[in-house]
Amino acid sequence: MKTQLIAVSAISLATALATPAWAQDGAPVADAREEPEAEGQRGSEFDEIIVTGRAGTSDLRKAEASYAVTTLSDEALRITNPSSAAETFKMVPGFWVESSGGEGSNNVRARGIPTDGYSSVALQENGISVQYDGGLGYLNADQSFRFDETIARVEAVRGGPASIYAPNAPGGVVNFITRKGSENPGGLVKYTWGNYGLNRLDAYYGTSLGDNWGVFVGGFYRQSDGMRDMGFKAEKGGQIRGTIDYNDGRNSFALDIKHIDDKVPFYLPVPLTYDADGDIADVPGFDSRSDTLAGGDTRRVDILNVGQPYDFDLSEGTHTQLTQVTLTGSLALSDTLTLESRTRYKDADILRNAVFPTGNVTPLDEYLASLSGALAAFPGATELRAQYASDGSVLTSTTNGNGLLIGGNLLSVSVPIEEIITDNRLVAEIEAGGIHNLALGFTYGSADFRFDRYMGTSLLDVQGNARFVDVVALDANGDVVGSVTDNGFLRYGSIYDNVSMGAENIAIYGGDEWQITPELRLDAAARWERTNINGVVAQKTTVSLGDDTNLADDNVLTGSGAFTPVDRSFDDWGWTIGANYQFTRYAGVFARYTDTFRLPSAGEYNGNPERTDQRSIPIKMAELGFKYGSPVFDLFATAFYSKFEGVRFTNYRFNEETNQYDDPQVVIADTETLGIELEALVKPADFFDFAVQATWQDPQYKGFTYTDQAGNLIDYDGNQLIRVPKLALRAVPGVNLFDGRLRAELEVEHYSDRYPDIANNQTLPSYTQLNINVRGELTENLVLGLNVTNLTDELGLTEGNPRAGSFDSGDANADYFLARPVFGRTIRASLGFKF
């Protein structure tokens, strides 16, 4: 979103800049916007200086970039008040974001990327990755990040040079740039209330120490019931950061220390059905916008295991305990040569506990009939009965208002990780047939982590805060002679992993930005990277815990005592070349071609240490862009193409009969995407503006054919990539009143049809969501904010049921199915005091 408030921030920045390289030596002046602007008149975001996706000594204005980049200013972030990192991605064209999982563990895709999480999009703080591998198997990069008032601005680069200057970033880099005392003196105390039990306090203070030094401290603390009703305090915790920085104009230094201790829930798909018209509707007794299956019954449970029971505590949610130390700086070795260094050390313990609904939503009678074979396990048994595990009361088809049952995996994953990342580069400016900005860099990343996973599969009824259900076997007299379940569990130990792994990465890269003429610039860069993956993975065995009165403990997965070593190495290299031509200061075109890669992740070996199908994935990308700015109209338009070659697609399907995942089928195929991104801002008057961000793309599978277990040849060539819409549109009309002291926006988000399976057999229908943002300065110091999300309580689905199969969903054409909707209407109001 680009607003009047955003544009105003560019005035002071633009006046402080030296004349850019292209405009030196008598370069033509052909745009009225180059004339000095009167105080209070709009400036242009085209003059913002870009630091992400490049390496060089000279300032680069956004208008001159030879790649697609979106900037989110302090004003844009403050009025939208995003609740998570993923929410900020919605303001960037080219990204498809699923933020319905909560504050952490969301999915981000860019320009047809066929992988989930942050595996191909780098999440950065101050130019260095929060996590070297952002898709490290159940450890998404956003679990180690919290958005708060200490973030000053954001730069988002799609494709292009992102994969050269950052690891694991073929889809792009989103760089969150924090405040510094030397640059952002002053302070803020802000209280936020939300209609879901939210109470949050943000605060920061920064000041200069003399001419060159600055200090800054800030953070937040909050509690809430969660965006869905969990029945207990689901969010609790916060973060604090402190920074000291130095900048004398030639040399700079910053030490940033951040600590997070925060619990947030991870929201999963919920049951849904269809109404008489065939439209998606709520299951009776379950509000898909605010309810969740997790709740009191599943909050604190002992999951039986070999030896001591596993203490499953759902109130832990995704619990991040992290300390991060970042040291950045630049040293001028001469007038033309500079050494830049960024180093980050992270020590984190991240736990994720959640209830994953699995299998199919099934009417009670049908479910009991499917278990008829279990009667043979109990001599004398003649029938099965469902009853609540907590009190033994009988469950019938009318007890809970819908008579439905669902499997629920109580999954706990612990990933302690210690990581260091250092990126060091020499940058120089020389004259030789024009001006060259040269960079030569070296990146090293080392991570040691554990991956401990344990799960029990339970049986739940379908209601908000679902209850455990037992299935008991009765004899002819109606007496209980055995039980299929135990305290609501169908199977203890349905997943078990014990992994100790290390990943060591080195990369060498170099680039040249060559200003040939004031109007024309060429740039080229290349990267070579190698990853070494070493560790051990526990071998598994199945045991019985010895209770003959139930079936739940008969097949418990546990470690055998033996371990399988992992020792793999992969390397590859990629390159990019681009050109930018400026017709005027605020109009130009660019073109770029990139041939890059994505190396295998250490997380791919967590459950399968002997796999041999991993290799570097070749990625080819091209883009052609146009940018134009005037006092009334700004436009960025980028056409793009991407191709991923030899991607491994795995079909995970949870088997309700065995209560474990079937052996997955793997298909190797390509993906290919053509599309266009648009960012436009119309500002006909000071009191009104209209911003649009839009992405249209045609993401397809190529060569996706395989033979299924029945021997049938399946061909999904040309099908649409799962979960990615062809059209994503965000339109924002805004008004500015009282000399800009009050701004109000209406956000209109629209997403076209998507599919949760590669077969495209199940449709996630298009939906439109409305949001309202208001920010007003009551006085010079007091600021009031209001954010209403999903104003009309729209039912929009972002994800299907991955556990029903990603190739051909088992939920397709069923009366009941699982999907993850966007959150219902939420209201947040804030009052801030600036000083």
Side-chain angles (χ1 to χ4, degrees):
M1 177 198 63
K2 306 298 177 287
T3 68
Q4 181 196 12
L5 291 174
I6 300 172
V8 170
S9 69
I11 299 175
S12 58
L13 179 61
T15 56
L17 301 180
T19 303
W22 76 269
Q24 295 174 359
D25 302 323
V29 176
D31 196 310
R33 295 182 68 177
E34 295 179 67
E35 297 301 321
E37 294 173 307
E39 185 176 354
Q41 198 174 9
R42 279 189 295 268
S44 173
E45 65 168 298
F46 282 66
D47 284 321
E48 294 180 11
I49 299 300
I50 304 302
V51 299
T52 307
R54 65 180 296 258
T57 59
S58 65
D59 290 337
L60 179 68
R61 297 186 309 121
K62 183 177 178 180
E64 301 163 347
S66 58
Y67 49 87
V69 56
T70 295
T71 54
L72 305 177
S73 71
D74 192 13
E75 290 84 355
L77 296 174
R78 300 293 79 86
I79 190 170
T80 54
N81 196 21
S83 59
S84 66
E87 284 289 326
T88 64
F89 285 53
K90 288 186 176 182
M91 295 184 275
V92 181
F95 285 122
W96 161 244
V97 184
E98 293 177 351
S99 59
S100 54
E103 200 159 342
S105 302
N106 287 295
N107 290 316
V108 176
R109 298 189 178 206
R111 294 182 172 182
I113 288 178
T115 57
D116 291 328
Y118 289 79
S119 57
S120 296
V121 175
L123 178 61
Q124 291 189 336
E125 266 187 6
N126 298 320
I128 186 168
S129 295
V130 170
Q131 189 168 291
Y132 194 95
D133 182 354
L136 196 61
Y138 280 89
L139 189 57
N140 281 358
D142 64 342
Q143 292 175 246
S144 299
F145 180 86
R146 295 291 184 268
F147 183 88
D148 65 7
E149 294 284 336
T150 65
I151 303 298
R153 61 191 179 94
V154 176
E155 294 182 358
V157 174
R158 282 94 65 202
S163 63
I164 305 300
Y165 295 113
N168 300 305
V173 170
V174 180
N175 187 15
F176 291 80
I177 300 169
T178 62
R179 302 181 192 275
K180 295 179 181 178
S182 59
E183 299 174 356
N184 309 99
L188 171 76
V189 177
K190 174 183 171 184
Y191 168 73
T192 303
W193 168 90
N195 67 336
Y196 49 97
L198 173 66
N199 289 280
R200 172 170 173 147
L201 184 67
D202 286 78
Y204 68 77
Y205 178 71
T207 187
S208 297
L209 300 176
D211 294 333
N212 301 325
W213 289 90
V215 294
F216 177 86
V217 62
F220 76 93
Y221 182 83
R222 59 100 168 78
Q223 292 187 14
S224 88
D225 298 330
M227 304 283 276
R228 294 183 177 276
D229 180 15
M230 306 281 284
F232 52 84
K233 287 291 180 186
E235 296 182 337
K236 186 176 182 180
Q239 77 172 0
I240 186 170
R241 89 163 65 237
T243 305
I244 182 168
D245 72 284
Y246 170 87
N247 193 330
D248 63 11
R250 281 175 55 85
N251 305 298
S252 66
F253 160 88
L255 174 65
D256 180 87
I257 301 175
K258 180 179 75 173
H259 180 71
I260 301 175
D261 190 346
D262 191 34
K263 301 176 183 179
V264 295
F266 181 46
Y267 301 106
L268 279 303
V270 300
L272 292 155
T273 187
Y274 299 94
D275 62 20
D277 297 324
D279 296 325
I280 293 175
D282 287 347
V283 170
F286 193 98
D287 188 337
S288 63
R289 296 158 186 82
S290 60
D291 282 342
T292 178
L293 293 170
D297 265 26
T298 54
R299 178 178 179 179
R300 194 72 179 264
V301 184
D302 281 343
I303 306 177
L304 296 189
N305 194 2
V306 177
Q308 294 294 318
Y310 185 87
D311 181 14
F312 179 84
D313 187 354
L314 184 60
S315 67
E316 288 286 296
T318 296
H319 188 177
T320 298
Q321 299 176 86
L322 173 148
T323 299
Q324 175 184 289
V325 180
T326 306
L327 182 65
T328 62
S330 64
L331 176 65
L333 303 178
S334 69
D335 289 340
T336 59
L337 182 64
T338 300
L339 172 64
E340 297 179 351
S341 180
R342 299 178 179 89
T343 300
R344 170 163 292 149
Y345 170 78
K346 177 178 72 176
D347 187 4
D349 193 345
I350 300 177
L351 174 70
R352 187 165 80 171
N353 289 348
V355 179
F356 289 73
T358 190
N360 301 109
V361 182
T362 309
L364 173 62
D365 293 340
E366 290 182 22
Y367 184 79
L368 293 179
S370 72
L371 296 178
S372 58
L375 292 172
F378 306 107
T382 59
E383 65 174 315
L384 298 174
R385 183 179 73 196
Q387 59 188 40
Y388 285 114
S390 59
D391 58 15
S393 59
V394 176
L395 177 65
T396 70
S397 59
T398 60
T399 304
N400 64 348
N402 53 52
L404 299 175
L405 297 178
I406 181 69
N409 286 334
L410 277 62
L411 177 63
S412 181
V413 180
S414 174
V415 189
I417 182 171
E418 187 175 10
E419 181 176 49
I420 187 167
I421 307 170
T422 183
D423 180 75
N424 303 277
R425 63 181 68 162
L426 286 169
V427 294
E429 182 176 295
I430 64 172
E431 291 190 28
I435 299 176
H436 295 264
N437 269 273
L438 302 171
L440 179 63
F442 172 79
T443 303
Y444 174 80
S446 177
D448 292 305
F449 67 93
R450 288 188 55 81
F451 179 80
D452 295 299
R453 180 167 60 165
Y454 191 68
M455 185 175 84
T457 299
S458 66
L459 183 63
L460 302 168
D461 75 340
V462 172
Q463 62 173 303
N465 310 140
R467 299 176 63 185
F468 282 129
V469 175
D470 273 330
V471 176
V472 296
L474 307 177
D475 63 16
N477 297 321
D479 296 325
V480 175
V481 295
S483 181
V484 175
T485 60
D486 182 42
N487 292 318
F489 280 90
L490 289 159
R491 181 181 177 184
Y492 296 116
S494 46
I495 280 183
Y496 171 88
D497 284 295
N498 179 359
V499 177
S500 180
M501 198 73 72
E504 189 174 50
N505 306 274
I506 58 171
I508 300 171
Y509 61 86
D512 179 13
E513 295 178 358
W514 180 17
Q515 195 73 48
I516 301 174
T517 70
E519 296 84 9
L520 176 64
R521 188 182 72 257
L522 297 180
D523 64 84
R527 178 187 187 92
W528 175 84
E529 186 170 5
R530 180 180 180 88
T531 183
N532 298 308
I533 302 169
N534 292 276
V536 292
V537 178
Q539 297 178 15
K540 305 169 191 177
T541 188
T542 302
V543 301
S544 172
L545 300 183
D547 187 348
D548 295 333
T549 64
N550 71 79
L551 305 181
D553 73 339
D554 288 358
N555 296 284
V556 177
L557 275 172
T558 188
S560 69
F563 290 82
T564 300
V566 176
D567 187 0
R568 301 283 191 277
S569 296
F570 305 91
D571 66 89
D572 209 338
W573 77 285
W575 55 273
T576 185
I577 185 168
N580 182 78
Y581 188 86
Q582 291 295 122
F583 301 112
T584 70
R585 182 176 177 85
Y586 297 115
V589 294
F590 70 86
R592 177 171 295 277
Y593 181 81
T594 303
D595 190 329
T596 187
F597 59 91
R598 174 55 162 99
L599 295 179
S601 168
E604 296 294 339
Y605 294 92
N606 285 345
N608 187 358
E610 298 180 311
R611 67 188 308 169
T612 59
D613 60 342
Q614 294 296 292
R615 67 177 181 86
S616 178
I617 298 174
I619 304 167
K620 295 177 172 57
M621 298 181 290
E623 52 191 314
L624 178 65
F626 171 76
K627 51 265 180 99
Y628 171 79
S630 76
V632 177
F633 179 64
D634 290 346
L635 173 67
F636 293 87
T638 306
F640 62 87
Y641 167 83
S642 66
K643 182 176 183 178
F644 285 64
E645 299 177 348
V647 182
R648 284 149 188 79
F649 297 96
T650 305
N651 189 33
Y652 292 104
R653 191 186 298 270
F654 195 82
N655 190 317
E656 291 184 279
E657 294 184 6
T658 62
N659 290 305
Q660 68 180 24
Y661 284 96
D662 292 333
D663 290 336
Q665 186 162 19
V666 177
V667 172
I668 298 175
D670 301 342
T671 67
E672 197 169 87
T673 302
L674 281 168
I676 186 168
E677 303 164 351
L678 294 175
E679 282 187 274
L681 173 63
V682 182
K683 40 189 187 301
D686 288 341
F687 66 85
F688 176 76
D689 51 70
F690 184 76
V692 174
Q693 287 113 26
T695 304
W696 180 88
Q697 58 186 325
D698 185 16
Q700 296 184 13
Y701 295 98
K702 294 297 182 180
F704 200 112
T705 60
Y706 68 100
T707 302
D708 66 13
Q709 294 177 345
N712 301 310
L713 180 63
I714 307 299
D715 186 355
Y716 294 147
D717 184 77
N719 282 15
Q720 185 174 325
L721 261 61
I722 62 172
R723 294 153 69 166
V724 179
K726 286 191 173 182
L727 175 64
L729 174 68
R730 183 174 178 269
V732 185
V735 295
N736 307 288
L737 304 174
F738 306 111
D739 295 325
R741 292 173 57 188
L742 175 66
R743 177 168 178 82
E745 300 176 344
L746 173 66
E747 288 182 308
V748 182
E749 299 178 22
H750 176 78
Y751 306 99
S752 62
D753 290 353
R754 286 140 293 114
Y755 302 97
D757 60 348
I758 294 171
N760 292 179
N761 283 338
Q762 184 183 9
T763 302
L764 303 177
S766 62
Y767 69 93
T768 301
Q769 179 176 311
L770 304 181
N771 312 312
I772 292 176
N773 303 312
V774 180
R775 189 170 187 267
E777 297 179 0
L778 303 180
T779 69
E780 185 177 340
N781 303 105
L782 288 176
V783 179
L784 180 68
L786 176 67
N787 302 97
V788 182
T789 305
N790 198 2
L791 178 66
T792 61
D793 221 23
E794 175 77 359
L795 176 55
L797 306 182
T798 64
E799 176 186 275
N801 179 14
R803 286 151 290 281
S806 59
F807 286 10
D808 186 355
S809 175
D811 279 353
N813 303 314
D815 291 335
Y816 303 97
F817 64 97
L818 291 167
R820 188 167 66 186
V822 298
F823 300 114
R825 183 187 304 109
T826 59
I827 302 172
R828 289 175 295 152
S830 64
L831 181 64
F833 178 74
K834 300 187 296 182
F835 57 95

